[in-house]
Amino acid sequence: MQLFLLAAPHVLAAAHSPHDTGVRAVAQLSARTAYVLMCLTLCWGVFVSTGWVRRISGRQATRSSHMVLATLTLAFGILHAASFLFLTDVSFNIWMLTIPLVDGGTGRWALGIVGTELMLAISISVGLQRFFRYRRWLWLHRLGYLAVLLTGLHAFIGADVNGHLGDLWLVGLAFAVPTALIALLRFVPAGVLTSTGLVEEEA
């Protein structure tokens, strides 16, 4: 997820310093780690909600592991965004990293901001679940699919703009395609999955 990298003309400046090169390396590594963890979080969440992996270690253990993956995704995503506050050759502020399209922000930055903030809202709602009606909480939780789509688009557009897509597109698709397929299978009726042999019918 190449979040918020050099796009608006007014934040461009002179050649990069060694300090900024290091900060950008942290931003890139945290972005790519967050992307992989995001895909794994969605896939594992589908497995947990459908019960496809419940036999491995029980529902509570699989739910807890889903929460750990989600927490790591957010941690690396926020680290990615926060890295840009430490650049010296460009000027980013907290508002540019949290409010879409403010101060000349671009559309691709907005995708990353909205996607990350949706994930954060979903994570907070898990702790406040008892204050929601279950169906309303479930509707909010399913916005995670939209968050993954937005941040995934952000990642690919950002990689293209920054000249990394040629090196990363295969790895990106290797995680994106299975994630999209599993997300689609989540909404296929159980009877269809059973009849096609994708899922075994429980006795």
Side-chain angles (χ1 to χ4, degrees):
M1 291 186 297
Q2 302 299 91
L3 195 62
F4 319 119
L5 278 177
L6 304 180
H10 75 283
V11 298
L12 293 176
H16 305 322
S17 69
H19 169 270
D20 287 337
T21 300
V23 172
R24 283 186 172 82
V26 171
Q28 290 173 359
L29 180 60
S30 59
R32 293 163 189 171
T33 304
Y35 175 83
V36 171
L37 287 168
M38 176 184 73
C39 292
L40 294 176
T41 300
L42 186 145
C43 293
W44 195 250
V46 171
F47 293 155
V48 171
S49 64
T50 57
W52 293 345
V53 293
R54 196 174 304 168
R55 297 176 184 176
I56 295 177
S57 58
R59 181 172 177 80
Q60 185 56 47
T62 52
R63 284 186 64 188
S64 297
S65 57
H66 173 63
M67 292 175 66
V68 169
L69 285 171
T71 301
L72 288 172
T73 299
L74 270 173
F76 280 101
I78 292 172
L79 172 63
H80 170 60
S83 298
F84 295 97
L85 295 174
F86 297 94
L87 292 172
T88 59
D89 63 351
V90 296
S91 178
F92 282 94
N93 58 56
I94 192 66
W95 307 116
M96 294 174 68
L97 300 179
T98 55
I99 303 175
L101 304 178
V102 74
D103 290 341
T106 66
R108 69 185 178 93
W109 297 357
L111 292 172
I113 292 170
V114 175
T116 301
E117 290 178 349
L118 271 176
M119 291 181 195
L120 185 60
I122 292 165
S123 297
I124 293 172
S125 76
V126 172
L128 301 175
Q129 186 175 352
R130 61 180 178 175
F131 298 106
F132 290 87
R133 291 183 178 178
Y134 178 73
R135 289 187 178 276
R136 183 170 296 178
W137 176 84
L138 185 62
W139 177 84
L140 176 61
H141 201 78
R142 285 180 174 171
L143 287 178
Y145 295 103
L146 176 61
V148 170
L149 174 62
L150 293 176
T151 47
L153 288 173
H154 164 74
F156 278 90
I157 295 172
D160 184 44
V161 169
N162 292 288
H164 300 136
L165 189 60
D167 300 324
L168 299 174
W169 70 270
L170 185 58
V171 175
L173 287 180
F175 283 93
V177 171
T179 301
L181 179 60
I182 291 171
L184 288 173
L185 289 176
R186 170 66 181 88
F187 296 99
V188 174
V192 174
L193 295 176
T194 302
S195 64
T196 56
L198 290 173
V199 176
E200 292 184 3
E201 186 174 5
E202 294 187 4

